[in-house]
Amino acid sequence: MKREIRSTQSVSSLLMPSVLSVNHAVRFIFAQLFFGIFGFGFTPMPI
């Protein structure tokens, strides 16, 4: 039992940084889309 708990904790500790980086990347992409759409909508188009 203790060995299984330790193994799962080590796996979760290894997966956490990747999950955080993915979450940060998703937030960055959504921020880029948000600012891109609003910047595109509020700036006058040069014709």
Side-chain angles (χ1 to χ4, degrees), residues 19-46:
V19 170
L20 286 173
S21 64
V22 167
N23 188 18
H24 183 73
V26 170
R27 285 184 178 183
F28 180 75
I29 291 169
F30 272 108
Q32 289 293 320
L33 285 172
F34 182 77
F35 284 119
I37 289 168
F38 272 85
F40 181 76
F42 283 117
T43 53
M45 285 286 292

Side-chain angles (χ1 to χ4, degrees), residues 6-17:
R6 281 182 183 177
S7 66
T8 52
Q9 282 181 351
S10 65
V11 168
S12 65
S13 67
L14 283 172
L15 284 174
M16 276 303 292

